[in-house]
Amino acid sequence: MMNGSAFTRRAALMGIGGGALAFPALRALAAPPAQARDMVRPPRLRNGDVLGLVAPAGFVADRFGLDEIGATVRAMGLEPRFAPHLTAREGYLAGSDAARAGDLKVMFADEGVRAIMAVRGGWGSARLLPLLDFAAIRKSPKLFTGFSDNTALCLALARAGVVSIHGPTAATSWSPASWESFRQLAFEGAMPTYAVPSYAGPNLGGRGPAVRTFRGGKARGRLIGGNLAVLSALVGTPYLPDFDGAILFLEETNEAEYRIDRMLTQLALAGLLERLAGVVFGQCTHCENPDGGFSNFTVYEVLDQRFASLGVPAFQGLMIGHVGGQISVPEGAMAEIDADAGTLRLLEPAVS
């Protein structure tokens, strides 16, 4: 698995260019500062910069995996710097919570490291949030990139007022489209417009729109979101950003329709959805109940039931999530969506 996916990553890039389960007492921890009105943008990447590689959740299987990841990063024009615990293993985690949090702290404090990228997802990023000093990170920000379980870190950074990138991890199979999206945001500071791709429907006689518009219109707001399961698990914690006037973007994988319904219902019951300016649901990969038959709601019916009644623009179909051609989305940056056209336009860069 590692060799095959790594070959794809390298070829694409070259072609285009936990310890004990007990947690520290909450009274001994400082909650991250309230989300700032003005987000801090980390410095952009430059060719030759050092990219710190961390494993906030799952581990890398072996040192040969590190070799492939290193080759991928070098193909980006960057120099990899591996955190000590990438191949450490404690259950399903890359070492203890303290060790993984320590790796992140070292990378954020190291003046020789320009930006930080997670090597993979899994589970465990949320366990690190009480151990990190987000106020210190805001004072000297670095661009952090990750998705899936790393949504927890992206959301906590947004809460602290720091822009990050919800995008591919270092071990992702980087397609040319994924690389170009990340490069534009992280290296160029570009403000692209992302559109739902078209597809050749079997009964459409050609190419047709793949956008599913739950409610039409345009909206502007800060981009807040990521993986639905991880985000919903942070409800009620001090690490969730302000939803007032935000554009919520979501993605999910391997969740049955009723679980999607359950998580969205949780957000609704918590009063979060009613505060939004708009919604973008990217891709829901393998989100079908294999035992449900035709008695189930489809994923699209679940989304339609939840979003159509919100009274704000909402659509589905951007390449956000566990998919090939995954785009990078700047968590905390201002954007405009057009739910009829199925577009997301950045209004400010992710980096300074």
Side-chain angles (χ1 to χ4, degrees):
M1 179 179 69
M2 181 63 71
N3 288 340
S5 62
F7 176 81
T8 302
R9 292 195 304 273
R10 185 163 52 192
L13 288 167
M14 294 296 285
I16 61 173
L21 292 179
F23 292 95
L26 289 178
R27 57 183 171 80
L29 299 169
Q35 184 180 9
R37 178 177 296 273
D38 296 321
M39 301 290 288
V40 174
R41 291 176 292 165
R44 70 187 62 201
L45 282 168
R46 307 159 302 189
N47 286 337
D49 279 342
V50 173
L51 181 66
L53 297 166
V54 295
F59 54 88
V60 178
D62 54 46
R63 65 181 179 86
F64 299 106
L66 294 184
D67 291 342
E68 298 292 353
I69 290 169
T72 296
V73 172
R74 292 186 182 94
M76 296 177 179
L78 303 171
E79 184 62 31
R81 181 167 299 175
F82 299 110
H85 297 93
L86 296 185
T87 58
R89 181 171 181 178
E90 189 159 316
Y92 41 74
L93 302 168
S96 68
D97 293 345
R100 298 187 334 275
D103 284 353
L104 275 167
K105 292 177 183 178
V106 167
M107 291 298 181
F108 274 111
D110 189 338
E111 295 182 357
V113 173
R114 182 78 167 186
I116 303 167
M117 182 178 286
V119 296
R120 55 159 297 182
W123 158 249
S125 297
R127 296 169 57 132
L128 307 184
L129 300 184
L131 305 178
L132 300 174
D133 187 344
F134 290 98
I137 292 173
R138 178 179 166 83
K139 291 179 181 178
S140 184
K142 294 180 181 179
L143 185 64
F144 175 82
T145 301
F147 81 113
S148 193
D149 186 69
N150 297 289
T151 292
L153 289 166
C154 291
L155 288 170
L157 286 167
R159 171 64 183 256
V162 180
V163 174
S164 61
I165 289 181
H166 178 278
T169 59
T172 299
S173 295
W174 287 76
S175 70
S178 293
W179 163 243
E180 181 61 18
S181 175
F182 176 74
R183 186 191 64 79
Q184 287 183 349
L185 264 60
F187 285 78
E188 294 185 357
M191 296 177 287
T193 296
Y194 296 126
V196 172
S198 297
Y199 72 103
N203 301 314
L204 296 178
R207 299 185 66 81
V211 60
R212 294 177 172 88
T213 301
F214 306 116
R215 187 180 182 92
K218 296 181 180 180
R220 291 187 174 191
R222 292 210 177 274
L223 290 165
I224 297 296
N227 181 263
L228 175 58
V230 176
L231 186 151
S232 64
L234 289 182
V235 172
T237 74
Y239 302 102
L240 203 62
D242 187 0
F243 274 47
D244 288 341
I247 302 294
L248 177 66
F249 70 95
L250 297 169
E251 62 87 16
E252 195 47 87
T253 184
N254 293 316
E255 294 284 3
E257 298 92 341
Y258 78 93
R259 292 175 182 166
I260 301 296
D261 190 351
R262 183 173 64 199
M263 290 183 282
L264 290 175
T265 298
Q266 181 181 7
L267 298 184
L269 293 176
L272 298 178
L273 297 185
E274 65 190 31
R275 295 156 58 183
L276 297 171
V279 180
V280 179
F281 202 106
Q283 298 297 312
C284 205
T285 309
H286 305 305
C287 292
E288 301 88 19
N289 184 351
D291 301 321
F294 292 101
S295 62
N296 269 351
F297 289 121
T298 66
V299 169
Y300 312 111
E301 287 175 318
V302 170
L303 300 181
D304 192 38
Q305 290 171 2
R306 184 54 63 190
F307 297 142
S309 62
L310 285 182
V312 300
F315 71 98
Q316 191 270 340
L318 287 182
M319 300 301 284
I320 303 171
H322 293 69
V323 289
Q326 175 189 13
I327 63 172
S328 293
V329 180
E331 185 100 42
M334 288 291 296
E336 179 182 80
I337 62 169
D338 184 331
D340 297 294
T343 60
L344 184 157
R345 179 171 67 95
L346 300 185
L347 300 178
E348 61 185 9
V351 293
S352 60

